[in-house]
């Protein structure tokens, strides 16, 4: 299950981070989820709720921020509208997906450091 292994690596990273800062608890996580990351937010939440028991994330809420997919021209920066051919009409160059559009990024960890 895709979401489950993602949650596993997410919690692993949070635990490593909390450990290195000697945190005693984690309160909140913010994860940005790209529109093209292929993640089902509901499944991800369910997987998180299942997996976090017994980990440092046990009481940490999970917040997901959706990042829409956006393309722009690498040469002139023109934004290519959704649904159009992904080539810049001015430069005839292939457009590039803006960062975050196909990624899952751990943005914020709120933790308690004594
Ligand atoms: Zn261009």
């Amino acid at each position: 299950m895709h979401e489950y292994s993602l949650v596993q690596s997410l919690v692993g990273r949070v635990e490593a981070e909390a450990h290195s800062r000697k945190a005693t608890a984690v309160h909140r996580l913010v994860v940005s989820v790209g529109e093209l990351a292929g993640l089902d937010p509901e499944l991800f939440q369910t997987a998180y709720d299942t997996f976090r028991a017994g980990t440092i994330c046990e009481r940490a809420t999970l917040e997901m921020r959706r990042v829409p997919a956006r393309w722009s021209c690498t040469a002139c920066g023109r934004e290519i509208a959704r649904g159009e051919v992904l080539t810049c009409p001015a430069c005839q160059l292939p457009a590039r997906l803006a960062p975050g559009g196909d990624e899952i990024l751990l943005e914020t960890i709120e933790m308690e450091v004594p």
Side-chain angles (χ1 to χ4, degrees):
M1 187 173 149
H2 181 55
E3 280 74 12
Y4 197 84
S5 62
L6 283 169
V7 163
Q8 205 166 2
S9 67
L10 177 77
V11 172
R13 278 182 54 200
V14 173
E15 279 188 324
E17 193 71 24
H19 185 74
S20 73
R21 297 193 196 179
K22 301 187 168 37
T24 52
V26 177
H27 297 302
R28 183 167 159 260
L29 304 177
V30 182
V31 175
S32 69
V33 179
E35 189 182 346
L36 302 180
L39 184 78
D40 181 326
E42 267 178 48
L43 272 181
F44 192 65
Q45 182 69 56
T46 306
Y48 176 71
D49 289 340
T50 308
F51 192 79
R52 67 171 158 167
T55 74
I56 196 156
C57 294
E58 188 150 22
R59 288 183 184 81
T61 57
L62 174 67
E63 194 179 305
M64 277 174 272
R65 290 200 183 135
R66 305 278 285 163
V67 178
R70 288 170 49 234
W71 286 265
S72 60
C73 173
T74 50
C76 71
R78 177 200 285 250
E79 197 161 311
I80 313 294
R82 176 181 301 264
E84 282 184 13
V85 177
L86 297 176
T87 303
C88 178
C91 314
Q92 304 300 319
L93 287 169
R96 194 176 54 185
L97 182 65
D102 60 353
E103 292 169 303
I104 297 160
L105 299 168
L106 179 56
E107 284 194 343
T108 308
I109 310 172
E110 273 182 27
M111 53 186 149
E112 200 165 306
V113 181

